[in-house]
Amino acid sequence: PPARNMPSGCCWKGLQACTWLCLASNVAAAAAPVAEVTNLALGRVPFGSSDTYGWGLIHATDGNLQSEWRARHDEPAQPIPAWRVPEPAFGQAPAYRVPRWRLPMAQEMDGDYPSFLLVDLGAPCQIDSMRLYSGARAGGFEALKTYRSLDGLAWALVREENSRSHCTAGMTSVHAGWAEETRYVLIQMEDRCSGVHLGGFSLSEWEVLGWPVVDMVPKFAKSWPHCENLKPCFSFVDLAQAKADCLAEFDCDGFSFSVASMAGGRGGGCYKTNCSRGSYGNVTGTGVHFGRGSHGYWEKRRTTPPPEARRLTEVTKQLFTA
């Protein structure tokens, strides 16, 4: 690709995977491992305002520039299903931000206008950039709004852009990323291209480029893998400190921790290595033995979980009420 589209300090690795190698901005450059910037949306079927038979939502993120997603341009026959979001924790209300995105009401839609696509990246990520590829026909838009969310409930507007670049078939646009950690990304397309539009909006491919946020997540409540200890075991260490120590050590894959303090407080355990990279792959313990009862296990999350095989299509409650 043209050099002007590449982030500073990055090198182009491959066209099909749209992959760069970049230094993670939040790690000291002198000793930082290289963070691989990949297409986080690849294979993750988005939720959308509508699609067309033969030109379904799956084609927006399938990695194939010869396929397309096309929105319906006639009035949808059924009410638009609401976006399926995680429920807030008991006793907590989502901290809504302004401006916030909500599912358009039926009376606000002119056929499928505005059109939107929403993708769940599977885990919090740092977003480096986005790429949008026009399809083989002129079905573009002149206005694009991008929204982000960490929990699928509270949404923030990233930016609004106006351009006729997608009014021509086969065009590609590059959009800068943002600093905030993000799991859900939504794009809303508005303003049909005058004189060339053939109906509903369409895209050949939507790429969200970035890398997963490395973090500690609870893996097992009352068991832990008997893989290699990274250093001498510890006792009476605060959970927050144990997490920080494991995150600071690249070879640390996780740590066992006292069952009574798995949710917080001081406890004992051991830092582990060579666990998530081959020694064990599931809770059944294939290839490795597990201890049970006295300790749980916190795992270092280095990647996002694989895409689900099927998109959930059940009609659920509205994301935001009027």
Side-chain angles (χ1 to χ4, degrees), residues 4-207:
R4 65 177 182 273
N5 292 338
M6 296 172 61
S8 175
C10 303
C11 57
W12 182 249
K13 186 179 178 183
L15 177 62
Q16 187 64 32
C18 200
T19 302
W20 292 306
L21 292 178
C22 308
L23 285 177
S25 60
N26 60 341
V27 182
V34 174
E36 187 175 8
V37 179
T38 60
N39 179 10
L40 300 166
L42 182 63
R44 299 185 181 276
V45 182
F47 175 81
S49 48
S50 76
D51 57 9
T52 305
Y53 180 76
W55 311 95
L57 292 163
I58 191 173
H59 297 304
T61 54
D62 62 359
N64 182 7
L65 297 182
Q66 305 305 312
S67 63
E68 293 182 24
W69 159 76
R70 294 181 183 176
R72 278 193 300 218
H73 57 84
D74 55 344
E75 190 68 27
Q78 300 292 332
I80 301 171
W83 161 235
R84 188 179 188 80
V85 297
E87 295 289 340
F90 178 76
Q92 296 181 353
Y96 294 144
R97 302 171 183 173
V98 178
R100 68 182 190 231
W101 178 83
R102 64 170 174 81
L103 191 73
M105 301 300 178
Q107 60 268 27
E108 298 173 331
M109 304 287 287
D110 178 15
D112 183 13
Y113 184 91
S115 290
F116 61 86
L117 294 173
L118 185 160
V119 66
D120 177 3
L121 303 178
C125 298
Q126 291 288 345
I127 308 302
D128 178 80
S129 60
M130 291 195 316
R131 287 177 181 262
L132 299 177
Y133 296 80
S134 295
R137 68 171 192 169
F141 46 88
E142 295 189 24
L144 179 73
K145 294 179 180 178
T146 303
Y147 294 85
R148 61 174 174 81
S149 176
L150 190 58
D151 59 5
L153 293 166
W155 293 85
L157 176 66
V158 175
R159 68 176 65 92
E160 182 174 356
E161 301 167 277
N162 294 277
S163 171
R164 287 183 58 85
S165 62
H166 282 279
C167 292
T168 303
M171 294 298 293
T172 302
S173 61
V174 180
H175 307 261
W178 49 90
E180 295 82 4
E181 293 183 9
T182 301
R183 174 171 173 174
Y184 304 91
V185 182
L186 181 144
I187 54 174
Q188 183 164 296
M189 291 149 278
E190 301 178 4
D191 295 350
R192 294 187 174 98
C193 299
S194 59
V196 298
H197 210 281
L198 300 178
F201 296 112
S202 65
L203 280 176
S204 176
E205 192 70 17
W206 176 26
E207 296 177 341

Side-chain angles (χ1 to χ4, degrees), residues 282-322:
N282 53 61
V283 73
T284 61
T286 301
V288 67
H289 295 288
F290 276 72
R292 304 183 188 277
S294 61
H295 291 72
Y297 186 69
W298 282 81
E299 182 180 60
K300 181 183 287 185
R301 182 184 60 209
R302 303 176 189 266
T303 62
T304 55
E308 293 190 19
R310 293 180 178 270
R311 177 176 63 91
L312 297 175
T313 56
E314 296 93 315
V315 175
T316 59
K317 66 179 184 179
Q318 292 268 348
L319 177 56
F320 295 108
T321 56

